[in-house]
Amino acid sequence: MTSIDYRLPQRRDLVTALPGPRSQALTARRKAAVAAGVGSSVPVYAADADGGVIVDVDGNSLIDLGSGIAVTSVGASHPAVAAAVAAQASRFAHTCFMVTPHEGYVRVAEELAALTPGTFDKRTVLFNSGAEAVENAVKVARLATGRAAVVAFDHAYHGRTNLTMALTAKSMPYKAHFGPFAPEIYRLPMSYPYRDGLTGEQAAARAISQIEVQIGADAAAAIIIEPIQGEGGFIVPAPGFLAALAEWAREHGVVFIADEVQTGFARTGAWFASEHEGITPDIVTMAKGIAGGMPLSAITGRADLVDTVHAGGLGGTYGGNPVACAAALASIEVMRELDLPARARAIEAAVMPKLRELADATGVIGDVRGRGAMLAMELVRPDSDTPDPALTKAIAAEALSRGVVLLTCGTYGNVIRLLPPLVIGDELLADGIGVLAEVVRELAG
Ligand SMILES: *Cc1c(COP(=O)(O)O)cnc(C)c1O
């Protein structure tokens, strides 16, 4: 890839114990001002970030293996994105596309039509968050089909608003006591090769039979699925599972929605993870990696579906904000210039063998999986498949104390997930994975 001029030194460097005194002081202030319901994985406050590092308020330089949950794929302060944001903000920061439209929105829609799978006519709507994109994909599917039922899967994560809580599988912390939830959501078994041992065809047949029996094919508006599940544990369905579902959906007039909020924009080694399975969704939802850290989300789908919606039926005050659009256009340009899909594949090639080696050496890693720079290991009690969330937490905490920011996920809380910025340098990445390996070996006992 083209070499990158980083602004900050790309190295792990601890000058205090973590969290340092300034982070601790901020935590104390935060407790008195910020709602307890907002959690943070890491009790360290950011002061600066660039490439693969986050520098905290105490001057510690940490290796970022989380990208703010798959958002800062081009880095947290890419100069092209920063310049585009500054330039747009100095002209106009808002007009509301529903009042006085602007070119940036149209250009983002043109880019998304070109980048998403499928060569048919497409239409795009822009929003602010992933959950909002998912809500609107469901709105479109229901109006276009005149049907109500929506199919979601075990381990799914689609957001925290009312409809998306209903679509999300896991109760704690996402749903517990926040009901009642939106009706007409049906949950089906996911393909989870490590735990169900089924082929993609078998898992799809199981799911399809449940749709036909429990919902009725002609009552289903949409199937929504993450091509690789994110929060649920980086579960990669068995080959053929997604294709069989998509094929069945097409035959029965059911809208197939790929939630690519986490997997999109080069993360998995392709622009969209649907490409790995050769599927062409009717609607793709996008957010996270789209705009170099600025809040922007989108749905892009078949024109014949999206354009069934009457004017005024879709939108929002901030959706397609001009500054966020400028950031998205700059980020997409950077992804193309640096060929970040190829970079994600190179990260997989460098990291995957290390994770496999670790699995063979320790007996506490039941499964290693993922694609591109979306990689995970599932931690289990020694030589069993019993989830070990305590060990998982301990690994993330110990890695942090050595200067590596690691995220966990999974229905059972037992998955370490790796989501490095795609612009991370080889040496820094190797150092981060080295720390992870060292910590796993020590804690596996
Ligand atoms: C993060 C995520 C969402 C929700 O996005 P927000 O921007 O947090 O609302 C939806 N779907 C998937 C697959 C996600 O990973």
Side-chain angles (χ1 to χ4, degrees), residues 69 128-134 157-161 164 226 228-231 259-263 285 287-288 296-297 417:
I69 319 186
N128 308 291
S129 69
E132 225 186 328
V134 169
Y157 182 84
H158 298 291
R160 287 179 161 94
T161 57
T164 61
E226 301 153 83
I228 297 174
Q229 289 183 318
E231 307 302 299
D259 184 352
E260 294 242 22
V261 165
Q262 191 156 160
T263 49
T285 58
K288 295 196 166 99
L296 185 74
S297 70
R417 55 168 151 177

Side-chain angles (χ1 to χ4, degrees), residues 115-437:
L115 289 172
T116 51
T119 51
F120 40 79
D121 236 10
K122 296 172 192 162
R123 298 290 183 269
T124 286
V125 194
L126 301 180
F127 305 97
N128 308 291
S129 69
E132 225 186 328
V134 169
E135 292 250 356
N136 281 278
V138 171
K139 279 170 68 172
V140 168
R142 283 184 169 153
L143 188 145
T145 59
R147 306 172 182 177
V150 177
V151 174
F153 288 84
D154 287 335
H155 314 289
Y157 182 84
H158 298 291
R160 287 179 161 94
T161 57
N162 188 266
L163 175 59
T164 61
M165 274 194 295
L167 292 167
T168 289
K170 192 174 177 176
S171 174
M172 268 310 269
Y174 307 123
K175 307 169 71 160
H177 315 297
F178 293 135
F181 302 111
E184 285 302 314
I185 306 294
Y186 298 84
R187 189 168 311 287
L188 297 186
M190 175 66 181
S191 166
Y192 191 163
Y194 171 58
R195 292 194 176 275
D196 68 18
L198 299 179
T199 66
E201 287 72 19
Q202 290 166 334
R206 175 177 66 177
I208 288 166
S209 135
Q210 288 196 18
I211 304 177
E212 290 177 339
V213 171
Q214 297 178 16
I215 306 168
D218 61 354
I223 293 175
I224 181 163
I225 189 163
E226 301 153 83
I228 297 174
Q229 289 183 318
E231 307 302 299
F234 280 29
I235 300 164
V236 185
F241 177 72
L242 294 171
L245 283 179
E247 176 64 24
W248 179 89
R250 186 171 314 109
E251 280 168 14
H252 293 87
V254 177
V255 178
F256 188 88
I257 303 169
D259 184 352
E260 294 242 22
V261 165
Q262 191 156 160
T263 49
F265 294 95
R267 175 55 54 187
T268 67
W271 280 95
F272 293 94
S274 295
E275 295 168 39
H276 299 295
E277 286 291 311
I279 56 167
T280 306
D282 298 309
I283 300 177
V284 180
T285 58
M286 295 159 269
K288 295 196 166 99
I290 191 173
M294 292 295 287
L296 185 74
S297 70
I299 65 170
T300 297
R302 309 184 80 96
D304 57 348
L305 292 175
V306 181
D307 274 350
T308 56
V309 181
H310 47 275
L314 303 173
T317 306
Y318 289 115
N321 169 272
V323 179
C325 285
L329 293 167
S331 298
I332 290 167
E333 190 54 38
V334 169
M335 289 181 196
R336 275 206 189 95
E337 233 165 60
L338 299 179
D339 194 358
L340 291 189
R343 178 62 195 152
R345 296 193 294 273
I347 290 173
E348 176 181 345
V351 174
M352 207 50 148
K354 296 262 163 33
L355 300 184
R356 293 226 165 89
E357 211 179 284
L358 202 55
D360 291 341
T362 61
V364 296
I365 299 172
D367 193 25
V368 165
R369 56 180 178 251
R371 282 190 202 276
M374 183 172 184
L375 302 172
M377 47 196 209
E378 179 161 350
L379 292 144
V380 291
R381 306 300 299 273
D383 305 310
S384 76
D385 64 2
T386 310
D388 195 340
L391 175 63
T392 310
K393 247 181 145 164
I395 291 169
E398 187 54 33
L400 175 68
S401 76
R402 297 179 196 190
V404 178
V405 176
L406 275 183
L407 302 177
T408 62
C409 66
T411 296
Y412 315 111
N414 67 325
V415 177
I416 297 274
R417 55 168 151 177
L418 303 175
L419 290 166
L422 302 179
V423 295
I424 193 169
D426 293 334
E427 265 175 54
L428 193 68
L429 179 63
D431 184 24
I433 299 301
V435 169
L436 169 63

Side-chain angles (χ1 to χ4, degrees), residues 94-121:
H94 179 78
T95 59
C96 186
F97 194 77
M98 301 183 305
V99 178
T100 318
H102 54 94
E103 184 182 352
Y105 193 120
V106 180
R107 283 182 58 201
V108 170
E110 289 167 350
E111 287 284 11
L112 298 186
L115 289 172
T116 51
T119 51
F120 40 79
D121 236 10

